[in-house]
Amino acid sequence: MPPVIWLGITVILTIVDAFGVATAFGLVLALVFWGALVGVNMLGWSAWRRSLPGKRDSAGRMALGALVLNLLLPIEVPLLYRLMGRGDASVDWKPFAYGLLVTGFVMVLLRATRARHTPAGQDDEVADTARSPAMPATSFGILARAGIDPADLLSVRAEDHYCRLAVRGGGTLLVHYRFRDAVGDLADVQGAQVHRGAWVADRAVTGSERTGRRWSLQLVDGSRVPVSETSIALCRARGWLERGGLA
């Protein structure tokens, strides 16, 4: 999705001759100009989201990030003009205003895309229960985004750019979140990462099975999670490999 957004914004800004860039440099160099500027700002936005832990897409953080990053545009535009051989550009606040409009459009587009890729049917019951007003205020990070009580979490598994959270009662929630960040959020929850794309809670492990040199864990919801070779010692130390065998 980000490369498509980068290309789309670059082409649109070039076609509409934003700030007279295409007139000043021609279409080819205008594409270079906007490609560089849009790319730098998208990298800046990504760095902004990663710089602060927890719920990255809260409304307050998104709004603050939009203000901070777009405040630099009035300087970046004339600077890029000079780097491309034109010294007649001056600092103007129009890029800031246009930047806010573009940022708002991208935010709406991303949220709409994420909504389309998040299953709405199979997990509705769990989602409604997890987000009830009686939820304790002990959740944080990915748990806060999913609205899950840490005591109900069984496992977290990576699915592309999403994490699927299994909860007590047999339901799951699909959350747009980096798995590495999710594992960091769960540092204070009793459990461990047992595979490059799987984290399990201690309370969830009911048994283990060994096939040759490979181990897997059985969870209370009936699912199985493979254990990587580098995590076998960790699982053994936690006593998971000594729990009752699979039925």
Side-chain angles (χ1 to χ4, degrees):
M1 195 62 186
V4 175
I5 294 175
W6 168 79
L7 181 60
I9 295 176
T10 298
V11 172
I12 291 173
L13 290 173
T14 301
I15 292 175
V16 301
D17 194 15
F19 310 132
V21 174
T23 300
F25 297 105
L27 288 178
V28 175
L29 288 180
L31 285 171
V32 175
F33 181 100
W34 288 117
L37 191 62
V38 173
V40 167
N41 281 274
M42 288 185 69
L43 289 175
W45 183 256
S46 178
W48 169 263
R49 293 182 67 246
R50 295 179 183 180
S51 64
L52 299 175
K55 195 173 181 179
R56 291 181 171 78
D57 295 335
S58 64
R61 182 173 301 177
M62 297 282 276
L64 181 59
L67 288 173
V68 171
L69 294 174
N70 286 304
L71 276 173
L72 299 175
L73 283 176
I75 300 175
E76 293 173 348
V77 171
L79 178 61
L80 195 52
Y81 256 86
R82 293 179 182 276
L83 290 176
M84 295 181 67
R86 293 289 297 269
D88 55 348
S90 59
V91 175
D92 188 349
W93 289 104
K94 288 182 180 179
F96 173 69
Y98 282 105
L100 285 179
L101 291 175
V102 172
T103 302
F105 169 75
V106 173
M107 288 180 182
V108 172
L109 181 61
L110 286 176
R111 286 182 178 274
T113 301
R114 290 170 185 171
R116 287 185 58 191
H117 285 82
T118 301
Q122 69 181 84
D123 300 324
D124 282 349
E125 182 178 349
V126 177
D128 291 341
T129 302
R131 289 173 173 80
S132 65
M135 175 64 62
T138 55
S139 297
F140 51 90
I142 189 171
L143 297 181
R145 176 176 296 187
I148 295 177
D149 188 325
D152 291 332
L153 182 65
L154 300 180
S155 66
V156 180
R157 306 193 196 194
E159 294 187 12
D160 294 326
H161 299 295
Y162 293 80
C163 288
R164 183 169 294 279
L165 287 70
V167 297
R168 191 180 316 191
T172 65
L173 286 169
L174 191 63
V175 180
H176 188 271
Y177 213 83
R178 288 201 312 173
F179 178 75
R180 182 178 64 183
D181 293 336
V183 173
D185 293 342
L186 300 173
D188 295 330
V189 180
Q190 291 298 315
Q193 182 178 354
V194 299
H195 194 271
R196 66 179 181 178
W199 180 98
V200 298
D202 182 75
R203 71 181 70 85
V205 181
T206 60
S208 61
E209 182 180 54
R210 182 177 182 179
T211 304
R213 297 179 58 185
R214 298 184 179 277
W215 284 88
S216 61
L217 301 174
Q218 182 179 24
L219 307 189
V220 68
D221 61 355
S223 63
R224 298 186 182 184
V225 178
V227 177
S228 65
E229 291 188 12
T230 57
S231 299
I232 292 176
L234 171 64
C235 292
R236 181 172 285 112
R238 301 184 77 93
W240 291 348
L241 302 187
E242 283 70 46
R243 296 187 181 179
L246 298 177

